[in-house]
Amino acid sequence: MIRIGVADEFGIVRSGLRDLFARFIDLWVVGEAAGLEAAVQLVGTVEIDVLILDLRGPGPNGADAIKAIHARSPRTRVLVLSASYDDEGAATLVREGARGYLDMRCEPLEIVRAVRLVSMGQRPLPASVSKLLARALDSEETHAPHEELSKREAEVFLALATGDRSERIADRLSLSQKTVSTYRRRLMLKLGLASNSDLTRYALKHRLIH
């Protein structure tokens, strides 16, 4: 029996998934949550093998939610079901610990199959995401990810890693705060990181700051 948790902002989606899994004797929905923050709380109160996680709704961002879920329940495996599919974003979530990623527009039986695969420790991922992760792995074997940053991305990276705020970076580099945020988002994806504290740890690890 695979114990499933369903975390989605919309009740109609939770109900649909619950009805879908009820058709199979090996799948059992043991808990539901109406958002990311509730999902983190859920895994601390119910034993869940596979948590189906939608990234919409209030609470922490997807990467932070996955980290918090693993901290509260290391054995729970996260299967992301997203309505806003993006290869780079999916790859980042996998690096942060998601075991699988599905576009919400997939067929119902694809979700059933993915749950079973995740429960067995496999990684159901779109082919494009698998290729992206493979390329990143090949790249890491020859040089560090930060070497792929553009000059401006590297400047923003080091400024953030040393604790500078976006407003100050924007003033110093003669950029708008929106542009700084764009550079931050790009470099986070390239480095596979999720927060400014992650940037600082990365920079210290690679001796880019002291």
Side-chain angles (χ1 to χ4, degrees), residues 36 40 53 55 59-71 92-93 96 184 193-198 201:
L36 296 175
V40 175
L53 185 68
L55 304 181
N61 65 41
D64 288 343
I66 291 171
K67 288 181 179 179
I69 287 165
H70 285 162
T92 297
L93 292 173
E96 293 301 328
R184 179 184 182 277
L193 303 177
S195 66
N196 286 2
S197 58
D198 288 341
R201 284 191 290 269

Side-chain angles (χ1 to χ4, degrees), residues 97-114:
R99 296 294 301 185
Y101 193 104
L102 286 178
D103 187 327
M104 191 171 282
R105 291 164 292 191
C106 69
E107 293 297 322
L109 290 182
E110 290 184 59
I111 301 176
V112 172
R113 176 178 176 274

Side-chain angles (χ1 to χ4, degrees), residues 21-79:
F21 296 135
R23 296 160 48 191
F24 303 91
I25 61 173
D26 62 325
L27 306 179
W28 180 29
V29 176
V30 296
E32 299 179 20
L36 296 175
E37 187 172 351
V40 175
Q41 299 302 317
L42 176 65
V43 298
T45 58
V46 182
E47 286 193 33
I48 294 173
D49 300 314
V50 179
L51 176 68
I52 297 176
L53 185 68
D54 180 18
L55 304 181
R56 295 171 298 189
N61 65 41
D64 288 343
I66 291 171
K67 288 181 179 179
I69 287 165
H70 285 162
R72 288 178 68 91
S73 180
R75 70 178 308 279
T76 297
R77 291 166 174 164
V78 175
L79 172 60

